[in-house]
Amino acid sequence: MSRSQQLYGGAMSMAVPAGMEDVSAVREIPDHQEVFANSMTDQSIIVEILETAAEHHEERSALVHHFNELARANDAEEPAAIGRTEQLQLPHTGAEACALVGEQRVAKFNEAGKSADAVNTVCVMLALIRVPPPHSADILVSLNVPLRIGHGSSSHASSSAAQTLSAADIEAAYAEFKAMVGTLQINDYGLFA
């Protein structure tokens, strides 16, 4: 079950799964992001608006670029692995999109460098939506699904994510992710002016 969620003051909207809470209610979030998290599963959804990766004209190339930038920003321990990419249809925007499923080994922002036991293996599902001309922006939507929670991670004792997910669980999460991204609507293109 999901609910329609206004993003960026209503300039965009998207269906967000039940149980995902707006993180801005508990900590400051940059203006270019909308962040939702489920404390029981330790899953999170991030929507962000970035400048178009102009040097990457082809969508798949831009998507991989953004994924690698995300891995660098997260201080991923090992090279991030990309499993697959595919085109998505967004009936409400007129924009084209593509998505990938990848994996990163990362610690939470406040646990980086504490110990190797704080590192989590996370499945990152990332979609790139290129805002159509005359505007220019890359919208990224990510769903972070913990695969393995490190024993030293604060998430280990507080979430059901400490159990290892099966391939079928990941496939189900990816199907839900694609359905969620498919509900994305741009209500006010002035957001990209």
Side-chain angles (χ1 to χ4, degrees), residues 61-185:
S61 173
L63 179 63
V64 170
H65 166 77
H66 286 302
F67 180 79
N68 290 330
E69 286 296 308
L70 179 63
R72 276 190 280 285
N74 287 340
D75 292 324
E77 280 200 349
E78 300 169 1
I82 298 174
R84 65 173 177 233
T85 61
E86 70 177 285
Q87 292 297 120
L88 298 178
Q89 298 301 315
L90 298 179
H92 303 292
T93 67
E96 293 185 14
C98 56
L100 66 74
V101 177
E103 191 173 296
Q104 297 180 6
R105 288 183 34 81
V106 297
K108 288 189 166 219
F109 68 94
N110 60 345
E111 298 171 352
K114 284 187 177 177
S115 79
D117 286 346
V119 174
N120 305 314
T121 303
V122 179
C123 177
V124 178
M125 299 171 193
L126 184 65
L128 166 66
I129 300 96
R130 290 220 140 148
V131 178
H135 307 285
S136 177
D138 283 350
I139 301 170
L140 296 179
V141 180
S142 60
L143 172 62
N144 302 297
V145 179
L147 298 175
R148 272 185 314 285
I149 301 293
H151 293 291
S153 174
S154 60
S155 297
H156 191 266
S158 63
S159 78
S160 61
Q163 45 193 306
T164 303
L165 297 179
S166 70
D169 293 331
I170 296 302
E171 284 302 316
Y174 186 55
E176 289 177 20
F177 172 71
K178 292 190 300 184
M180 177 186 72
V181 171
T183 67
L184 181 80
Q185 294 187 56

Side-chain angles (χ1 to χ4, degrees), residues 24-88:
S24 68
V26 294
R27 69 177 167 97
E28 193 169 324
I29 302 297
D31 289 342
H32 72 284
Q33 291 183 340
E34 296 278 353
V35 181
F36 304 90
N38 183 320
S39 61
M40 297 300 294
T41 64
D42 211 35
Q43 294 182 6
S44 62
I45 296 168
I46 302 171
V47 179
E48 57 187 319
I49 301 171
L50 301 172
E51 289 184 30
T52 299
E55 68 279 12
H56 298 278
H57 300 290
E58 196 262 329
E59 284 180 359
R60 184 187 183 286
S61 173
L63 179 63
V64 170
H65 166 77
H66 286 302
F67 180 79
N68 290 330
E69 286 296 308
L70 179 63
R72 276 190 280 285
N74 287 340
D75 292 324
E77 280 200 349
E78 300 169 1
I82 298 174
R84 65 173 177 233
T85 61
E86 70 177 285
Q87 292 297 120
L88 298 178

